[in-house]
Amino acid sequence: MARIGLCFVSPAPLTKFDAALEMAKACEPLGLDSFWSIDRIAYDNLEPLTLLAAAAAVTEKIRLGTSVLLAATRHPVHLAKIVATLDFLSRGRITLGIGFGSRENDFRSVEIPFTDRGSRAVEQVRLIKRLWTEENVTHHGRFYRVENLTIGPKPLQKPHPPIWTGGSSETALKRAGTWADGYICGSSAIADFPAVWEKVAAYARAAGRDPESIERAALTFIAIDDRKDRAIARLEAYLTRYYGRVRGEVDKTYPAGAPRECAAGLAAAFAKGLQTLIVGLADPDPRQVDLFGERVLPELKSLLSGRS
């Protein structure tokens, strides 16, 4: 079953204050499955967990997730409590997607070492899971020490909210296969997703896990415009602002152009074996949500139903 979600990606100066919540509210009547937020520290995006708390208040059914949170920039005890609170207030709708970080300035800005960030995040996950499911937790790790600690409220989801991971390195794929509940592929790797997934699945089998228990997801960015050149320009502007440069050929990596073209690009992504596709609208114009719902989504559903 194909699951589709929208991700709010617009930097704060390029959008109006109510745009994020309007997008979240639009997801349910459109029949979408989820609403997502991105994470940076040294950047002017909205803080993702705060955004999801607000989204929880204006939605009832859709899942709410981070794609992805730089977990290592937060203390695990504090993060465990915030996410448990979000899960409690949203009645069990949170998915915690975590990433390991690729920009040193995000870590430097909060005085967290950039080195060993992956190992730090892995230790965080182990500790967070214990804090969500146990009482009187004591942990003496490489990066964190906790003595006889119990936190509340506990998450409503049992045993705990799903934790998904991203990343393309061999180490990241091994982490996804070994302990993650889902794997989020980046846009540039969607074309090769079957090969990427086979690596994740192999690591899962080696760890005694069923690969089918791991959600196969991806995040991609799109821009909708009947003039393809304008759509590509919008995507390039967003990618340059967010990543500092444009990676690869935009028109071959991201769905861009008329609604039919965007729908075909998203359908092609699902054809690679994805179960969940998280769509970031790179153009901050709020009319993009209307175009997505009124013109892209019906075409996409038609294409997907034709394949089933």
Side-chain angles (χ1 to χ4, degrees):
M1 179 181 178
R3 289 178 279 273
I4 306 164
L6 285 180
C7 184
F8 188 78
V9 300
S10 297
L14 301 183
T15 189
K16 296 180 180 179
F17 76 94
D18 59 350
L21 294 190
E22 290 302 314
M23 179 184 286
K25 286 193 289 186
C27 288
E28 290 188 331
L30 289 175
L32 299 179
D33 296 276
S34 51
F35 176 75
W36 301 78
S37 58
I38 60 171
D39 187 26
R40 289 284 308 280
I41 304 296
Y43 188 68
D44 47 10
N45 60 301
L46 301 178
E47 198 286 317
L49 299 175
T50 307
L51 172 55
L52 293 184
V58 298
T59 58
E60 295 182 357
K61 298 178 181 178
I62 57 170
R63 292 204 65 80
L64 306 168
T66 52
S67 181
V68 287
L69 188 81
L70 300 177
T73 62
R74 280 87 165 171
H75 194 283
V77 174
H78 197 195
L79 181 57
K81 190 169 185 70
I82 292 172
V83 176
T85 300
L86 277 173
D87 200 61
F88 183 83
L89 294 176
S90 67
R91 298 182 179 89
R93 294 188 282 138
I94 296 299
T95 295
L96 178 62
I98 67 168
F100 305 102
S102 60
R103 302 171 181 87
E104 187 171 359
N105 62 343
D106 284 325
F107 290 77
R108 187 171 59 246
S109 64
V110 289
E111 301 181 73
I112 299 293
F114 187 62
T115 55
D116 297 321
R117 61 195 180 280
S119 299
R120 182 185 296 271
V122 170
E123 184 177 327
Q124 277 192 312
V125 169
R126 292 175 183 151
L127 178 53
I128 287 170
K129 286 181 178 179
R130 293 190 63 199
L131 291 167
W132 282 344
T133 58
E134 300 177 23
E135 308 289 322
N136 304 315
V137 173
T138 293
H139 171 88
H140 297 164
R142 178 181 174 191
F143 301 102
Y144 305 104
R145 292 179 63 88
V146 170
E147 297 286 346
N148 195 31
L149 178 63
T150 299
I151 68 167
K154 299 297 186 186
L156 291 188
Q157 296 181 84
K158 303 302 178 188
H160 54 71
I163 299 178
W164 296 7
T165 66
S168 58
S169 69
E170 200 68 25
T171 301
L173 300 180
K174 184 176 182 179
R175 289 169 181 150
T178 303
W179 51 260
D181 300 304
Y183 171 67
I184 305 173
C185 173
S187 301
S188 60
I190 290 176
D192 298 320
F193 185 77
V196 172
W197 175 251
E198 184 47 46
K199 291 184 178 182
V200 174
Y203 284 123
R205 288 189 288 267
R209 304 181 69 203
D210 178 4
E212 291 303 310
S213 68
I214 304 171
E215 184 78 7
R216 304 187 298 274
L219 168 67
T220 193
F221 305 106
I222 73 169
I224 311 162
D225 196 303
D226 287 329
R227 276 185 50 182
K228 192 176 182 70
D229 60 329
R230 288 193 305 211
I232 291 175
R234 279 294 194 183
L235 269 167
E236 289 177 341
Y238 171 75
L239 295 169
T240 299
R241 198 177 193 282
Y242 189 66
Y243 292 110
R245 60 186 176 87
V246 175
R247 301 174 177 180
E249 299 178 79
V250 170
D251 60 333
K252 294 182 180 179
T253 305
Y254 304 93
R260 184 180 293 269
E261 290 179 277
C262 290
L266 297 175
F270 274 114
K272 297 294 182 179
L274 297 172
Q275 296 168 308
T276 292
L277 189 56
I278 303 165
V279 180
L281 301 176
D283 186 338
D285 187 337
R287 289 175 295 182
Q288 289 280 295
V289 178
D290 297 330
L291 283 170
F292 183 82
E294 294 170 6
R295 299 183 61 189
V296 176
L297 195 58
E299 182 72 22
L300 174 57
K301 289 181 177 179
S302 176
L303 291 170
L304 294 176
S305 65
R307 284 185 176 147
S308 60

